[in-house]
Amino acid sequence: MSSKAVSLPRGIRKRGNKYLVDVCYQGKRTTRTCVSIEEALVLREKIKTSLALEGHASHLRSNTLLESYTLERAVNLTYSTRWEETRSAETVRFYCDELVKFFGKGFPVRELSTVEIDRYVAHLKTNRNSNATINRKISALRVILKTAHARGYLDRLPCFPARQREHKGRIRFLTKEEENSLTNLLNLWGKTEHSRAVTVLLDTGLRLSELWRLQWQDVDLENNYLSISIVTGK
């Protein structure tokens, strides 16, 4: 006479003469072995409760970490890892200090919403920052938040406002009097090499990088011309 298979509760399986309790909660699996179905039922509920409490505690720790991560800490981290050794370090440091001054040192990074960024842009406009300057300051803020997000201090990035429209720069040429005033002032300060460099730049139209790359073999004084090497990047 055949015996009918007994249907076991979810998460409990028969393994030989014992019972295997297998509980999965939010991706975390825990297994235990029991000698009776009664013990397995009790143990299953204990494991569920334990995993739920552990998950809740982990969530609280995560929220505490996010709430305690301030804008000042985010700025210092980004500056030391991204900007400190660059040529623009001094300028970016000014942007960062201004940002922290506006929001406050203890301002939580997670509260830097799109609305808050809009408020900062309005502040910059009120203080007569040009559109180009605003774009650079908001770009620095974007890097700060991306750095915080990459390290788990920010759960999601806010939407940033559209870039401000930048006007094309006006081309202006120095008059002869202005050129003389500039070189005379540099000579007065004892910066003779700077004065000569300015004269060459004004008279030839060279870029700074082209001037610094010049070698003696590039200069032909008899035929009055310079040979400029073109550097291309990928």
Side-chain angles (χ1 to χ4, degrees), residues 94-95 98 119-135 137 164 167:
F94 173 77
Y95 293 169
E98 184 179 26
R119 190 165 67 88
Y120 184 53
V121 170
H123 163 76
L124 295 175
K125 288 183 176 181
T126 301
N127 283 273
R128 299 184 179 276
N129 284 250
S130 69
N131 285 354
T133 300
I134 292 174
N135 287 336
K137 290 181 178 180
Q164 305 294 310
H167 300 290

Side-chain angles (χ1 to χ4, degrees), residues 74-178:
V75 163
N76 291 338
L77 171 64
T78 309
Y79 183 80
S80 62
T81 57
R82 297 290 297 271
W83 295 314
E84 193 169 22
E85 302 298 328
T86 66
R87 288 184 297 177
S88 59
E90 185 175 349
T91 300
V92 177
R93 182 75 258 180
F94 173 77
Y95 293 169
C96 291
D97 291 344
E98 184 179 26
L99 182 68
V100 173
K101 182 179 180 181
F102 178 78
F103 286 105
K105 293 182 179 181
F107 191 89
V109 171
R110 68 183 308 181
E111 293 184 16
L112 266 170
S113 62
T114 303
V115 173
E116 290 296 336
I117 297 174
D118 287 339
R119 190 165 67 88
Y120 184 53
V121 170
H123 163 76
L124 295 175
K125 288 183 176 181
T126 301
N127 283 273
R128 299 184 179 276
N129 284 250
S130 69
N131 285 354
T133 300
I134 292 174
N135 287 336
R136 282 150 186 74
K137 290 181 178 180
I138 297 302
S139 177
L141 175 57
R142 188 194 303 269
V143 174
I144 292 169
L145 296 187
K146 281 187 174 181
T147 302
H149 182 263
R151 286 158 175 77
Y153 294 119
L154 187 62
D155 45 11
R156 63 182 180 84
L157 291 170
C159 293
F160 279 80
R163 287 175 57 84
Q164 305 294 310
R165 179 176 296 179
E166 298 184 20
H167 300 290
K168 293 183 179 180
R170 182 168 64 93
I171 298 177
R172 179 182 179 279
F173 297 92
L174 295 180
T175 64
K176 191 63 180 177
E177 291 75 17
E178 289 173 329

Side-chain angles (χ1 to χ4, degrees), residues 35-81:
V35 296
S36 68
I37 183 63
E38 293 80 11
E39 184 181 352
L41 289 170
V42 173
L43 183 58
R44 184 186 65 166
E45 297 309 311
K46 286 184 177 180
I47 293 175
K48 283 184 178 181
T49 302
S50 177
L51 290 177
L53 290 174
E54 184 179 333
H56 180 65
S58 176
H59 179 69
L60 290 177
R61 287 194 299 269
S62 178
N63 280 344
T64 301
L65 177 63
L66 293 176
E67 290 172 0
S68 64
Y69 194 69
T70 64
L71 178 60
E72 183 182 38
R73 290 179 60 190
V75 163
N76 291 338
L77 171 64
T78 309
Y79 183 80
S80 62
T81 57

